[in-house]
Amino acid sequence: MNLVYKEQEMDGIGATMPESMVSYQPMVNLVGGLTALAGLTAFVPGLMGAEVHTPYLNGFMDIPFQLSARHPEPENALTVGCWIIHITSLVEWLVAMGFCWRWADVSNNPKWRGLTWGLLPLHSSGITACTYHLFYNSIPVLVPLQAMLTCLGNTTAMFAAYRIAVSNGWSAPWGDILALNEEDSSNENTQEEDSQSLVGFEDLGDALATDNDWTFIAKLFAGCAVASYVVKYGELWFDFPFESELYLSLAFIFIPSLLNSFKWWKRSQDPTFDGWF
């Protein structure tokens, strides 16, 4: 479902507005199609007797021969298709954080920047999952670490969303919840306010600002596919993925996370700062 974020990220500034900016239908179509595809790819292998290390979709995107690399590929190595899913997951959090930061300026509500900060642990959770598979699942402590980061990120994102809602005039209807049978007239105002949705969404940069929904998805898929091939087959030429070094794996997680945090802190001090990371 990672590609769904495309339907929410173009803001149309200096570009022709894609259909997803003015209608929910493209996103509904994409969600429905991807949900059906995901269900099919899970249901069919189950009927065919898939086992623990059966490649996803039979590894149809994988290179069909063994490379003469430094190391042979382990049985539990992810397929290219699985790596694409993981890498697009990292991209989607960056897109979401960038959108929230920009929407703070568009809506003149700085509380949206708090949601960018609230999403940081979720992005780190995605990095942790990728790192776990980069080391061929040989560092089990990364599993509870990812769970902790996911829980933390869900909590911080929830609190950031609460701050945004309060800043827009929303208040928790505790009286209605306790009374249950009473109807408060302010409830109508709250529902009306909540039903208003965002109209503009951030793209991934000027280079993709003129793309429509489908060309953007194609470019995003192609970029993530290239990265997936590089990761899957490139790591076979190194020793570290096979050495289960805990501290190295933590460096893979926390160095990018700290750089990402520094980037947003720096942008809060200097709006013109872009950063190469």
Side-chain angles (χ1 to χ4, degrees):
M1 304 310 293
N2 302 322
L3 294 180
V4 172
Y5 270 84
K6 165 58 188 85
E7 304 298 335
Q8 298 183 336
E9 66 197 12
M10 297 285 285
D11 66 3
I13 297 177
T16 302
M17 290 192 300
E19 186 182 355
S20 58
M21 261 197 64
V22 295
S23 171
Y24 281 114
Q25 195 57 47
M27 186 166 62
V28 170
N29 294 340
L30 185 60
V31 170
L34 291 179
T35 300
L37 178 62
L40 187 65
T41 58
F43 184 70
V44 173
L47 293 179
M48 299 177 63
E51 298 180 356
V52 174
H53 296 305
T54 298
Y56 177 63
L57 298 181
N58 287 324
F60 80 102
M61 295 183 67
D62 294 357
I63 296 177
F65 54 85
Q66 190 76 6
L67 297 178
S68 57
R70 186 182 185 93
H71 297 276
E73 193 170 45
E75 185 181 23
N76 65 346
L78 293 188
T79 63
V80 170
C82 281
W83 272 117
I84 289 174
I85 294 172
H86 280 76
I87 291 174
T88 54
S89 176
L90 298 183
V91 173
E92 73 178 14
W93 291 120
L94 293 175
V95 171
M97 285 186 280
F99 154 67
C100 293
W101 196 269
R102 192 167 185 176
W103 192 253
D105 296 328
V106 173
S107 65
N108 197 28
N109 185 352
K111 293 293 190 297
W112 277 96
R113 291 176 182 164
L115 187 54
T116 296
W117 291 104
L119 295 177
L120 279 170
L122 292 171
H123 183 251
S124 298
S125 173
I127 297 176
T128 305
C130 290
T131 302
Y132 178 67
H133 296 304
L134 184 71
F135 286 85
Y136 298 108
N137 308 353
S138 62
I139 307 178
V141 72
L142 297 184
V143 176
L145 175 61
Q146 186 200 7
M148 182 194 72
L149 289 170
T150 301
C151 180
L152 175 63
N154 288 339
T155 303
T156 53
M158 176 190 67
F159 180 67
Y162 169 78
R163 293 176 69 239
I164 293 171
V166 170
S167 70
N168 289 331
W170 179 85
S171 60
W174 302 119
D176 295 340
I177 295 174
L178 294 175
L180 292 180
N181 293 326
E182 295 181 6
E183 292 186 3
D184 193 330
S185 60
S186 63
N187 228 14
E188 298 178 0
N189 296 332
T190 301
Q191 291 176 357
E192 181 180 354
E193 186 73 23
D194 289 344
S195 66
Q196 296 177 2
S197 59
L198 305 182
V199 177
F201 296 92
E202 186 184 55
D203 55 60
L204 284 178
D206 294 337
L208 299 176
T210 58
D211 284 297
N212 60 36
D213 294 336
W214 299 109
T215 57
F216 183 95
I217 290 175
K219 290 180 179 180
L220 178 61
F221 179 85
C224 291
V226 170
S228 298
Y229 279 104
V230 170
V231 172
K232 177 176 173 63
Y233 296 108
E235 65 172 329
L236 298 176
W237 298 88
F238 298 92
D239 293 328
F240 73 86
F242 302 88
E243 296 175 347
S244 304
E245 290 288 340
L246 173 61
Y247 293 111
L248 181 59
S249 70
L250 294 178
F252 270 90
I253 296 167
F254 289 108
I255 290 178
S257 297
L258 289 173
L259 285 173
N260 196 22
S261 300
F262 174 76
K263 174 181 65 180
W264 297 116
W265 174 81
K266 187 68 175 177
R267 284 185 180 179
S268 68
Q269 307 298 312
D270 179 9
T272 64
F273 178 79
D274 289 326
W276 56 266
F277 45 85

